[in-house]
Protein backbone atom coordinates (compact mmCIF):
# COMPACT_ATOMS: atom_id res chain seq x y z
CA UNK A 1 0.00 0.00 0.00
CA UNK A 2 2.81 2.37 0.93
CA UNK A 3 4.56 1.54 -2.34
CA UNK A 4 1.34 2.28 -4.20
CA UNK A 5 0.90 5.62 -2.44
CA UNK A 6 4.53 6.56 -3.15
CA UNK A 7 4.21 5.70 -6.82
CA UNK A 8 0.96 7.65 -6.97
CA UNK A 9 2.66 10.72 -5.45
CA UNK A 10 5.60 10.34 -7.85
CA UNK A 11 3.30 10.18 -10.87
CA UNK A 12 1.31 13.18 -9.64
CA UNK A 13 4.57 15.11 -9.23
CA UNK A 14 5.67 14.10 -12.71
CA UNK A 15 2.40 15.30 -14.18
CA UNK A 16 2.74 18.57 -12.28
CA UNK A 17 6.29 19.05 -13.54
CA UNK A 18 5.16 18.39 -17.12
CA UNK A 19 2.56 21.12 -16.78
CA UNK A 20 5.20 23.51 -15.43
CA UNK A 21 7.44 23.06 -18.44
CA UNK A 22 7.63 26.37 -20.26
CA UNK A 23 5.96 26.53 -23.64
CA UNK A 24 7.28 29.16 -26.02
CA UNK A 25 4.26 30.81 -27.59
CA UNK A 26 4.49 32.58 -30.94
CA UNK A 27 4.96 36.25 -30.15
CA UNK A 28 4.23 39.43 -32.09
CA UNK A 29 8.01 39.70 -32.61
CA UNK A 30 8.10 36.18 -34.09
CA UNK A 31 5.30 37.03 -36.50
CA UNK A 32 7.01 40.24 -37.58
CA UNK A 33 10.35 38.53 -38.16
CA UNK A 34 8.63 35.71 -40.07
CA UNK A 35 6.99 38.29 -42.35
CA UNK A 36 10.32 40.07 -42.92
CA UNK A 37 11.95 36.74 -43.71
CA UNK A 38 9.14 35.83 -46.14
CA UNK A 39 9.60 39.11 -48.00
CA UNK A 40 13.38 38.71 -48.07
CA UNK A 41 13.94 41.93 -46.12
CA UNK A 42 17.23 42.36 -44.25
CA UNK A 43 17.03 41.30 -40.60
CA UNK A 44 19.71 42.58 -38.22
CA UNK A 45 20.66 39.95 -35.68
CA UNK A 46 23.99 41.33 -34.45
CA UNK A 47 24.59 42.13 -30.78
CA UNK A 48 22.42 45.10 -29.77
CA UNK A 49 21.51 45.83 -33.38
CA UNK A 50 17.95 47.07 -33.75
CA UNK A 51 15.23 46.47 -36.28
CA UNK A 52 12.70 49.28 -36.70
CA UNK A 53 9.36 48.00 -37.94
CA UNK A 54 5.99 49.66 -38.52
CA UNK A 55 2.96 47.38 -38.73
CA UNK A 56 -0.23 48.66 -40.29
CA UNK A 57 -3.47 48.41 -38.30
CA UNK A 58 -2.01 46.75 -35.22
CA UNK A 59 -2.00 47.72 -31.57
CA UNK A 60 1.37 47.63 -29.85
CA UNK A 61 0.46 44.38 -28.08
CA UNK A 62 0.15 42.72 -31.49
CA UNK A 63 -3.63 42.72 -31.75
CA UNK A 64 -5.01 43.79 -35.13
CA UNK A 65 -7.43 46.71 -35.13
CA UNK A 66 -10.09 47.89 -37.54
CA UNK A 67 -9.75 51.65 -37.33
CA UNK A 68 -10.65 53.20 -40.66
CA UNK A 69 -8.46 55.87 -42.30
CA UNK A 70 -11.31 58.36 -41.82
CA UNK A 71 -10.89 57.97 -38.05
CA UNK A 72 -7.46 59.63 -38.44
CA UNK A 73 -5.97 57.64 -35.55
CA UNK A 74 -2.52 56.40 -34.60
CA UNK A 75 -3.60 52.83 -35.25
CA UNK A 76 -0.30 51.44 -36.53
CA UNK A 77 2.41 49.94 -34.32
CA UNK A 78 6.03 51.00 -34.32
CA UNK A 79 8.15 48.27 -32.77
CA UNK A 80 11.87 48.00 -32.19
CA UNK A 81 13.17 44.45 -32.20
CA UNK A 82 16.47 43.07 -30.99
CA UNK A 83 17.67 39.48 -31.08
CA UNK A 84 18.80 37.95 -27.81
CA UNK A 85 20.71 34.77 -27.02
CA UNK A 86 19.47 31.78 -28.98
CA UNK A 87 18.36 33.99 -31.85
CA UNK A 88 15.08 34.92 -30.18
CA UNK A 89 13.58 38.22 -31.36
CA UNK A 90 12.28 40.48 -28.62
CA UNK A 91 10.31 43.70 -28.84
CA UNK A 92 12.38 46.13 -26.80
CA UNK A 93 9.76 48.87 -26.99
CA UNK A 94 6.73 49.79 -29.05
CA UNK A 95 4.65 52.91 -29.63
CA UNK A 96 1.40 53.84 -31.28
CA UNK A 97 2.13 55.51 -34.60
CA UNK A 98 0.77 56.26 -38.02
CA UNK A 99 2.30 55.26 -41.32
CA UNK A 100 -0.62 56.87 -43.13
CA UNK A 101 -1.03 60.58 -43.72
CA UNK A 102 -3.74 62.40 -41.81
CA UNK A 103 -7.13 63.31 -43.23
CA UNK A 104 -5.93 66.94 -43.29
CA UNK A 105 -3.48 66.19 -46.10
CA UNK A 106 -6.07 64.35 -48.14
CA UNK A 107 -7.79 67.67 -48.38
CA UNK A 108 -4.60 69.75 -48.58
CA UNK A 109 -2.08 67.64 -50.53
CA UNK A 110 1.38 69.18 -50.77
CA UNK A 111 1.73 67.72 -54.26
CA UNK A 112 -1.28 68.21 -56.51
CA UNK A 113 -1.15 64.53 -57.59
CA UNK A 114 -2.13 63.38 -54.11
CA UNK A 115 -0.77 62.88 -50.63
CA UNK A 116 2.06 60.40 -50.20
CA UNK A 117 1.69 57.00 -48.54
CA UNK A 118 4.87 55.05 -47.99
CA UNK A 119 4.70 51.77 -49.87
CA UNK A 120 5.08 48.78 -47.54
CA UNK A 121 8.60 47.43 -47.83
CA UNK A 122 12.09 47.77 -46.44
CA UNK A 123 14.10 50.94 -46.96
CA UNK A 124 17.53 52.08 -45.85
CA UNK A 125 16.89 55.79 -45.85
CA UNK A 126 16.99 57.52 -42.47
CA UNK A 127 19.54 59.51 -40.47
CA UNK A 128 19.32 61.19 -37.08
CA UNK A 129 18.60 64.90 -37.37
CA UNK A 130 16.24 67.71 -36.42
CA UNK A 131 12.73 67.45 -37.85
CA UNK A 132 11.49 70.90 -38.88
CA UNK A 133 13.95 72.42 -36.40
CA UNK A 134 11.54 71.22 -33.68
CA UNK A 135 12.72 67.90 -32.34
CA UNK A 136 15.04 65.03 -33.11
CA UNK A 137 13.83 62.43 -35.54
CA UNK A 138 14.94 60.11 -38.28
CA UNK A 139 15.12 62.12 -41.48
CA UNK A 140 14.83 60.69 -44.97
CA UNK A 141 18.21 62.01 -46.01
CA UNK A 142 19.93 58.67 -46.49
CA UNK A 143 18.07 57.00 -49.32
CA UNK A 144 15.04 56.80 -51.55
CA UNK A 145 11.65 55.46 -50.59
CA UNK A 146 8.67 54.57 -52.74
CA UNK A 147 5.35 56.28 -52.11
CA UNK A 148 1.87 55.91 -53.52
CA UNK A 149 0.05 59.16 -54.18
CA UNK A 150 -3.60 59.18 -53.21
CA UNK A 151 -4.86 60.50 -56.51
CA UNK A 152 -8.50 59.62 -55.87
CA UNK A 153 -8.34 61.07 -52.33
CA UNK A 154 -9.97 58.08 -50.66
CA UNK A 155 -7.28 57.73 -47.95
CA UNK A 156 -6.40 54.28 -49.23
CA UNK A 157 -3.64 52.90 -51.41
CA UNK A 158 -5.38 51.47 -54.44
CA UNK A 159 -5.04 50.86 -58.18
CA UNK A 160 -5.93 54.39 -59.20
CA UNK A 161 -3.05 55.88 -57.21
CA UNK A 162 0.41 56.31 -58.70
CA UNK A 163 3.87 55.55 -57.39
CA UNK A 164 6.99 57.63 -57.11
CA UNK A 165 10.45 56.80 -55.78
CA UNK A 166 12.79 59.42 -54.41
CA UNK A 167 13.48 61.82 -51.55
CA UNK A 168 10.22 63.20 -50.18
CA UNK A 169 11.08 64.03 -46.59
CA UNK A 170 9.26 60.94 -45.34
CA UNK A 171 10.65 61.44 -41.83
CA UNK A 172 10.08 59.49 -38.63
CA UNK A 173 9.04 62.02 -36.05
CA UNK A 174 6.60 62.96 -33.31
CA UNK A 175 4.22 65.82 -32.65
CA UNK A 176 5.67 69.29 -32.26
CA UNK A 177 7.15 69.81 -28.80
CA UNK A 178 4.71 72.72 -28.50
CA UNK A 179 1.80 70.30 -27.94
CA UNK A 180 3.27 69.10 -24.62
CA UNK A 181 3.44 65.53 -23.38
CA UNK A 182 -0.12 64.31 -23.91
CA UNK A 183 -0.67 61.93 -26.83
CA UNK A 184 -2.50 63.31 -29.85
CA UNK A 185 -6.01 61.90 -30.33
CA UNK A 186 -5.90 62.44 -34.09
CA UNK A 187 -3.15 62.47 -36.69
CA UNK A 188 -4.45 65.81 -37.93
CA UNK A 189 -1.81 67.84 -39.75
CA UNK A 190 1.07 65.82 -38.26
CA UNK A 191 1.58 63.44 -41.14
CA UNK A 192 1.76 64.19 -44.83
CA UNK A 193 3.12 60.69 -45.33
CA UNK A 194 5.64 60.73 -42.50
CA UNK A 195 5.90 57.91 -39.94
CA UNK A 196 4.73 59.64 -36.76
CA UNK A 197 4.49 58.60 -33.13
CA UNK A 198 1.51 59.88 -31.14
CA UNK A 199 3.36 61.81 -28.43
CA UNK A 200 6.43 63.89 -27.71
CA UNK A 201 7.67 61.49 -24.96
CA UNK A 202 7.16 58.52 -27.31
CA UNK A 203 9.35 60.19 -29.90
CA UNK A 204 12.04 60.91 -27.29
CA UNK A 205 11.99 57.28 -26.12
CA UNK A 206 12.20 56.05 -29.70
CA UNK A 207 15.20 58.22 -30.49
CA UNK A 208 16.97 57.34 -27.23
CA UNK A 209 16.53 53.65 -27.99
CA UNK A 210 17.61 53.65 -31.61
CA UNK A 211 20.71 55.69 -30.75
CA UNK A 212 21.92 52.72 -28.66
CA UNK A 213 22.43 50.76 -31.87
CA UNK A 214 26.19 50.09 -32.08
CA UNK A 215 26.21 51.01 -35.78
CA UNK A 216 24.96 54.50 -34.88
CA UNK A 217 27.34 54.79 -31.92
CA UNK A 218 30.23 54.04 -34.29
CA UNK A 219 29.01 56.49 -36.93
CA UNK A 220 26.51 59.28 -36.28
CA UNK A 221 25.86 59.52 -40.02
CA UNK A 222 24.67 55.90 -39.94
CA UNK A 223 21.71 55.28 -42.25
CA UNK A 224 18.94 53.44 -40.42
CA UNK A 225 16.67 50.95 -42.14
CA UNK A 226 13.02 50.50 -41.41
CA UNK A 227 10.41 48.02 -42.51
CA UNK A 228 6.75 48.79 -43.12
CA UNK A 229 4.46 45.76 -43.01
CA UNK A 230 0.89 45.35 -44.17
CA UNK A 231 -1.82 44.25 -41.75
CA UNK A 232 -2.09 40.92 -43.57
CA UNK A 233 1.64 40.24 -43.23
CA UNK A 234 1.12 39.32 -39.57
CA1 LIG B 1 -2.94 53.63 -40.07
CA1 LIG C 1 -6.33 56.10 -53.11
Amino acid sequence: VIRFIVSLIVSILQEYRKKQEPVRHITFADKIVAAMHRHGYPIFRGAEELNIVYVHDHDIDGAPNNDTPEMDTFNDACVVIRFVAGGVPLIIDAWKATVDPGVYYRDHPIVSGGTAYIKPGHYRAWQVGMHNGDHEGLLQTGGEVTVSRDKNKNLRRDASDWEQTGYFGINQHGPSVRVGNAPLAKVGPYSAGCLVRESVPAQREFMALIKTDPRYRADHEFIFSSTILEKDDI
Side-chain angles (χ1 to χ4, degrees), residues 139-233:
L139 312 186
Q140 195 216 334
T141 49
E144 296 185 327
V145 304
T146 299
V147 298
S148 302
R149 292 213 174 261
D150 189 18
K151 190 179 174 190
N152 60 355
K153 296 189 175 182
N154 69 346
L155 296 169
R156 287 161 177 84
R157 287 172 290 117
D158 52 35
S160 77
D161 300 337
W162 56 291
E163 285 185 5
Q164 241 183 338
T165 299
Y167 290 81
F168 308 111
I170 302 290
N171 297 342
Q172 302 186 31
H173 63 86
S176 163
V177 293
R178 291 190 307 270
V179 307
N181 287 341
L184 297 175
K186 301 271 181 191
V187 176
Y190 282 99
S191 174
C194 286
L195 316 178
V196 184
R197 268 154 292 284
E198 66 164 355
S199 76
V200 170
Q203 179 64 13
R204 289 207 185 107
E205 288 168 21
F206 172 73
M207 293 307 297
L209 175 56
I210 60 143
K211 286 161 81 177
T212 66
D213 190 305
R215 297 167 297 177
Y216 172 78
R217 280 185 288 158
D219 172 14
H220 285 196
E221 306 284 299
F222 175 69
I223 300 171
F224 282 90
S225 303
S226 299
T227 300
I228 294 91
L229 295 176
E230 302 264 29
K231 184 181 192 180
D232 293 346
D233 282 328

Side-chain angles (χ1 to χ4, degrees), residues 57 75-76 100:
D57 303 330
N75 76 320
D76 309 313
D100 307 304

